[in-house]
Amino acid sequence: IGSCHVEFPVMLAPMAGVSDLAFRILCHRQGAGLVCTEMVSAKGLYYKDKKTASLMETDKTEDIVAIQIFGSDPKIMAEIAPRVEETGVSFIDINMGCPTPKIVNNGDGSALMKNPDLAGEIVYNVKKAVSVPVTVKIRKGWQEDTAVGMAKILEEGGASAISVHGRTKEQFYSGKADWDVIKNVKNAVKIPVVGNGDIVDVHSAENMLNATGCDFIMVGRGALGAPWIFKQINEYFDSGIILPNPPIEER
């Protein structure tokens, strides 16, 4: 991804209120090849909110770590991007997939799926402002599938990789993730594509890779209460062995 070499194909998804520093370190120790912070408000950084800035805290033991930012003003996003880069982060991820009302009602998150030209402008401006790779996380669409068109615009804007969650904004986290969408995006762009949605064990991880041809997979809710899922997936890909869940003492 850009200049970053990710050894393992399994990443920890950014999750608001979940992927804080302690959880990310734990998942990295268990084999997550890349970890990402919970989403950080660009406006919060712009107006120097201390609580917002604290979400960017990282640790050298995390190895490859991304900071995810969200917002819909290209100028503000570009202005705060160098500050994010100064933390020593491996790359910057832009959230264009969050479906929660307080985010989309401000035109942020998955609301940008309805305005792909603005989304492309945001990526272009952030990319110009920093030297680290810039990636984007999107969904299948708002109400219908618009992921391929969106992905092409983001690639043209300078995105180094795209993560695709196979659900629409309207689905939120219900129903089944559409892996065909991820496959279609993979076939439509030249940059790496990360598949996200319904990866809960080694078999679903393997099925995701086989069904979509994606370059990496991203585990979100499947890691809640079970950070060892990364170790299990890595071992399965490496040797075909399915490791048991750790004993209660290790947990």
Side-chain angles (χ1 to χ4, degrees):
I1 302 177
S3 58
C4 297
H5 173 69
V6 183
E7 183 176 357
F8 298 115
V10 190
M11 305 177 176
L12 171 66
M15 293 177 282
V18 175
S19 50
D20 59 13
L21 180 60
F23 186 65
R24 296 195 313 270
I25 290 175
L26 186 59
C27 288
H28 177 64
R29 286 176 182 170
Q30 288 294 314
L34 177 148
V35 294
C36 187
T37 69
E38 49 191 310
M39 58 185 185
V40 179
S41 168
K43 283 187 177 180
L45 292 177
Y46 182 77
Y47 292 110
K48 295 179 171 59
D49 178 70
K50 291 183 179 179
K51 185 176 180 181
T52 300
S54 69
L55 296 175
M56 295 196 298
E57 182 184 2
T58 60
D59 186 90
K60 61 182 180 180
T61 62
E62 293 183 272
D63 196 14
I64 301 178
V65 58
I67 290 179
Q68 186 184 72
I69 58 176
F70 74 93
S72 51
D73 186 321
K75 292 183 179 179
I76 289 179
M77 296 283 278
E79 186 159 336
I80 62 94
R83 182 179 171 189
V84 177
E85 183 180 24
E86 287 171 2
T87 64
V89 71
S90 304
F91 59 88
I92 297 173
D93 188 64
I94 302 175
N95 183 300
M96 297 187 183
C98 180
T100 58
K102 69 177 183 180
I103 299 297
V104 299
N105 289 344
N106 289 322
D108 305 331
S110 58
L112 287 165
M113 297 292 298
K114 298 190 294 184
N115 195 342
D117 289 336
L118 175 60
E121 185 181 353
I122 290 171
V123 172
Y124 177 75
N125 279 271
V126 172
K127 181 66 177 176
K128 282 201 308 180
V130 297
S131 59
V132 294
V134 175
T135 63
V136 187
K137 191 167 191 289
I138 66 173
R139 281 188 166 238
K140 177 179 178 179
W142 181 263
Q143 289 181 309
E144 55 188 26
D145 183 3
T146 57
V148 168
M150 180 79 159
K152 288 180 177 179
I153 289 175
L154 298 176
E155 179 180 38
E156 187 176 335
S160 293
I162 298 174
S163 303
V164 184
H165 184 138
R167 288 181 173 87
T168 64
K169 179 269 175 190
E170 292 298 316
Q171 281 183 274
F172 221 75
Y173 296 102
S174 66
K176 188 178 180 181
D178 185 352
W179 289 358
D180 285 341
V181 171
I182 300 168
K183 178 180 180 180
N184 293 338
V185 171
K186 171 59 185 172
N187 291 335
V189 298
K190 296 179 181 178
I191 56 178
V193 171
V194 184
N196 177 227
D198 295 348
I199 299 176
V200 296
D201 53 25
V202 295
H203 296 301
S204 51
E206 181 180 40
N207 291 340
M208 164 74 85
L209 285 175
N210 290 338
T212 68
C214 61
D215 301 280
F216 304 95
I217 56 175
M218 183 174 275
V219 179
R221 290 174 296 162
L224 297 181
W228 49 84
I229 188 175
F230 298 100
K231 185 177 182 180
Q232 291 173 327
I233 292 173
N234 288 333
E235 181 62 36
Y236 182 71
F237 286 166
D238 186 48
S239 68
I241 297 173
I242 299 178
L243 297 174
N245 289 338
I248 191 67
E249 294 81 10
E250 185 178 342
R251 299 190 199 188

